[in-house]
């Protein structure tokens, strides 16, 4: 029998186990909700990106079911061959109206929207100036583009300026940031970065995956929150988080969108969204426009939970959004916190390297509009008890 050529993978997994970084996949027994059953265990769920509870919203379900009945469950083709349906065009029109841009193109995910866009609008002669905590899909897009990658310290506009000063005026430059940073919940410094982009003639790009449905009027995102409409050339959003379904999109000029139709590889070489997904996303835009109370509730819950976690004595970093990290440092301790919370009925995932720096392991919490105060208080009580048991907080 030949030796297993993949045996090195088992060695890697053993090493992850030794470092406390090995995780088994938690399985939801039912729906994605604020209180649910995970691994046959009833929990308050603080781990989803389902900010507004739209994964189970009746209007989205209804529209998805209607689309299945009318249009079927799949498209059978990529967008550029036979996979563009009227419902995809309707979704893109609605998103462009919502984001106040000329046009939008929808991708299969936020990941492919970022990676496909950055890799197609740049070449090896260009340069990217990128925040050190930008999402993995941006980093992969940069690598695929083969452009030179210059990383600036987190949110440091002056450091980005210093980098820009060293670059030839004629070189094409992309300045790129997350709108909301996914592991820390803080905001990209958009006004400062937009001013830099204007000063140095950069393309300005913002990944608003965690901001759409959360920040700005009716959830229009950080561009709206900061009032920088018209100053961000490439806006990426996701349909997989607050929007409650699946997908990503790029909003910008008509020329940008038509270019992506011709050059973005995930758009060209991967099958389009099933009709029920597109229908659910359209219904989600209706909900954002017609039920803004959901966003108000999300923010009420955010303020309540964040203030109380902090007053328990946890290090919650610099978050400004519904994402609140509980930063522990050591990975084994973060995983122990997560595991003990789970045993007490609170699902808050532990996160370690490579998702965050080695010494910044954490439990990440995300509250939603649909959490009740009782659920949040139950979670806070568990955090307090387990935090004291593990010596993360005193008292
Ligand atoms: C900042 C950021 N950008 C992009 C993505 C990718 O979005 P999607 O889950 O739709 O692929 C995520 C999700 O993990 C994210 O946190």
């Amino acid at each position: 029998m030949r030796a297993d050529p993949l045996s090195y993978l088992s060695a890697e997994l053993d090493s992850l186990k030794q470092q406390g970084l090995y995780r088994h996949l938690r399985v939801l027994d039912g729906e994605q909700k604020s209180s649910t059953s995970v691994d046959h265990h009833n929990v308050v769920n603080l781990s989803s990106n389902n900010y507004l509870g739209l994964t189970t919203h009746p209007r989205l379900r209804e529209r998805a079911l209607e689309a299945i009945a009318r249009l079927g469950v799949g498209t059978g083709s990529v967008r550029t061959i036979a996979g563009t349906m009227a419902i995809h065009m309707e979704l893109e029109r609605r998103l462009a109206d919502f984001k106040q841009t000329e046009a939008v193109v929808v991708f299969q995910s936020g990941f492919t929207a970022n990676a496909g866009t950055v890799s197609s609008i740049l070449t090896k002669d260009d340069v990217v100036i990128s925040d050190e905590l930008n999402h993995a899909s941006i980093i992969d897009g940069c690598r695929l583009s083969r452009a030179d990658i210059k990383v600036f310290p987190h949110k440091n506009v002056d450091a980005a300026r210093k980098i820009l000063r060293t670059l030839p005026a004629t070189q094409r430059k992309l300045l790129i940031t997350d709108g909301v940073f996914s592991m820390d919940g803080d905001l990209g410094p958009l006004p400062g970065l937009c001013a830099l982009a204007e000063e140095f003639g950069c393309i300005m790009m913002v990944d608003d995956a965690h901001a759409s449905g959360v920040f700005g009027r009716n959830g229009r995102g950080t561009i709206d929150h900061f009032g920088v409409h018209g100053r961000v050339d490439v806006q990426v959003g996701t349909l997989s988080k607050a929007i409650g379904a699946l997908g990503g999109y790029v909003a910008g000029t008509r020329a940008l969108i038509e270019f992506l139709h011709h050059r973005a590889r995930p758009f060209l070489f991967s099958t389009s969204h099933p009709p029920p997904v597109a229908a659910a996303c359209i219904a989600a835009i209706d909900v954002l426009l017609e039920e803004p109370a959901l966003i108000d509730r999300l923010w009420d819950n955010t303020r309540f939970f964040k203030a109380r976690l902090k007053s328990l004595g946890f290090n919650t970093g610099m978050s400004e959004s519904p994402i609140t990290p509980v930063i522990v440092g050591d990975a084994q301790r973060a995983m122990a916190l997560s595991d003990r919370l789970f045993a007490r009925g609170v699902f808050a995932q532990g996160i370690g390297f490579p998702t965050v720096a080695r010494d910044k392991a954490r439990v990440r919490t995300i509250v939603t509009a649909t959490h009740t105060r009782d659920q949040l208080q139950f979670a806070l009580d568990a955090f307090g008890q387990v935090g004291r048991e593990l010596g993360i907080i005193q008292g």
Side-chain angles (χ1 to χ4, degrees), residues 67-106:
I68 290 176
R70 190 164 54 88
L71 298 167
V73 296
T75 68
S77 175
V78 299
R79 287 285 301 272
T80 48
I81 299 182
T84 295
M85 289 180 158
I87 200 163
H88 297 121
M89 301 308 286
E90 183 186 348
L91 172 59
E92 289 171 343
R93 270 195 308 275
R94 294 293 309 278
L95 284 168
D97 279 351
F98 185 66
K99 289 281 176 168
Q100 298 178 215
T101 60
E102 274 178 26
V104 157
V105 55
V106 167

Side-chain angles (χ1 to χ4, degrees), residues 109-111 114 135 137 178 180 182 207 209-210 238-241 247:
S109 70
F111 195 106
N114 270 326
H135 190 255
S137 52
D178 281 3
V180 175
S182 55
D207 170 12
H210 285 274
T238 171
L239 302 165
S240 328
K241 300 184 194 296

Side-chain angles (χ1 to χ4, degrees), residues 107-388:
F107 286 76
Q108 297 82 359
S109 70
F111 195 106
T112 53
N114 270 326
T117 300
V118 175
S119 60
S120 61
I121 63 174
L122 297 181
T123 70
K124 64 178 178 34
D125 299 325
D126 305 328
V127 57
V128 192
I129 302 94
S130 175
D131 187 290
E132 65 177 332
L133 295 189
N134 277 344
H135 190 255
S137 52
I138 293 177
I139 298 169
D140 286 6
C142 294
R143 290 177 180 159
L144 283 168
S145 75
R146 294 186 291 153
D148 192 13
I149 304 167
K150 307 270 188 205
V151 174
F152 61 91
H154 185 45
K155 294 181 63 158
N156 192 331
V157 176
D158 287 338
R161 168 178 279 108
K162 274 191 194 133
I163 293 171
L164 283 163
R165 281 211 187 105
T166 66
L167 300 172
T170 51
Q171 192 173 25
R172 184 172 297 124
K173 305 169 191 78
L174 174 71
L175 183 56
I176 186 163
T177 184
D178 281 3
V180 175
F181 289 89
S182 55
M183 292 299 141
D184 292 82
D186 51 355
L187 302 186
L190 297 202
L193 291 177
C194 286
L196 262 195
E198 285 152 9
E199 184 182 340
F200 289 90
C202 308
I203 304 161
M204 181 71 215
M205 177 163 169
V206 175
D207 170 12
D208 242 358
H210 285 274
S212 301
V214 177
F215 282 90
R217 289 166 303 141
N218 299 83
R220 284 182 170 80
T222 56
I223 283 85
D224 196 74
H225 170 78
F226 284 115
V228 290
H229 285 286
R231 301 176 69 191
V232 175
D233 305 294
V234 188
Q235 295 185 42
V236 167
T238 171
L239 302 165
S240 328
K241 300 184 194 296
I243 301 301
L246 179 73
Y249 57 93
V250 178
T253 61
R254 164 73 39 207
L256 168 70
I257 302 315
E258 286 185 8
F259 179 85
L260 294 174
H261 288 168
H262 290 83
R263 285 288 179 273
R265 293 170 70 82
F267 184 84
L268 289 163
F269 295 112
S270 186
T271 296
S272 54
H273 270 147
V277 173
C281 294
I282 294 169
I285 300 169
D286 291 340
V287 170
L288 290 179
L289 295 174
E290 293 163 21
E291 300 181 36
L294 272 179
I295 302 177
D296 296 340
R297 223 177 299 146
L298 168 66
W299 280 101
D300 280 348
N301 280 343
T302 296
R303 284 185 283 270
F304 174 84
F305 191 71
K306 204 184 280 295
R308 279 159 184 75
L309 258 188
K310 239 185 226 173
S311 69
L312 281 169
F314 287 107
N315 173 6
T316 56
M318 304 299 286
S319 168
E320 303 161 78
S321 72
I323 299 171
T324 307
V326 172
I327 301 168
V328 172
D330 171 64
Q332 309 247 19
R333 225 153 159 235
M335 300 311 167
L337 174 60
S338 175
D339 288 344
R340 288 198 197 186
L341 285 169
F342 192 78
R344 285 178 186 270
V346 176
F347 179 29
Q349 191 64 270
I351 295 176
F353 184 80
T355 310
V356 295
R358 279 194 195 279
D359 60 344
K360 296 256 172 63
R362 66 198 57 193
V363 163
R364 184 181 66 159
T365 68
I366 300 184
V367 299
T368 70
T370 53
H371 281 97
T372 63
R373 280 295 148 95
D374 284 351
Q375 288 167 359
L376 294 179
Q377 191 55 56
F378 176 83
L380 287 162
D381 291 344
F383 261 99
Q385 280 163 1
V386 177
R388 282 188 290 273

